[in-house]
Amino acid sequence: MGGISIWQLLIIAVIVVLLFGTKKLRNLGTDLGSAIKGFKGAVSDEPAKKDEATEENSAHNDSLGDKTAEKSNTAEKEKDKV
């Protein structure tokens, strides 16, 4: 009595498709699916990804520091030549 029958669900689905169109509904489904997938990935892999990101950033910063040191050494050598 109080439940929704299959016919009522089909009528609602037809009305929604007529109002929004299949293209918008497909895009909405794709966006919703990717958002859920991203959320699950962020929740399950958060600690591991943070550690990896920290290691990558520190390695990147070390390489930038080395390049900066090389540039300053090169600049000092050029000043000595002049």
Side-chain angles (χ1 to χ4, degrees):
M1 256 190 160
I4 297 176
S5 71
I6 188 74
W7 293 109
Q8 292 170 336
L9 288 175
L10 286 174
I11 291 171
I12 292 171
V14 168
I15 291 171
V16 168
V17 168
L18 289 175
L19 286 175
F20 295 107
T22 57
K23 198 177 237 185
K24 282 187 180 180
L25 291 175
R26 187 180 318 125
N27 290 341
L28 179 66
T30 303
D31 293 342
L32 183 63
S34 64
I36 291 172
K37 185 177 179 182
F39 179 76
K40 285 182 179 179
V43 168
S44 65
D45 295 336
E46 188 66 30
K49 285 188 177 182
K50 278 186 178 179
D51 294 339
E52 290 173 9
T54 304
E55 290 174 7
E56 288 177 10
N57 286 338
S58 64
H60 180 68
N61 289 340
D62 289 343
S63 67
L64 287 177
D66 294 342
K67 289 179 182 177
T68 305
E70 288 174 9
K71 286 181 182 179
S72 64
N73 289 341
T74 306
E76 290 174 8
K77 288 179 184 178
E78 287 180 8
K79 286 180 184 178
D80 291 339
K81 289 181 183 177
V82 176

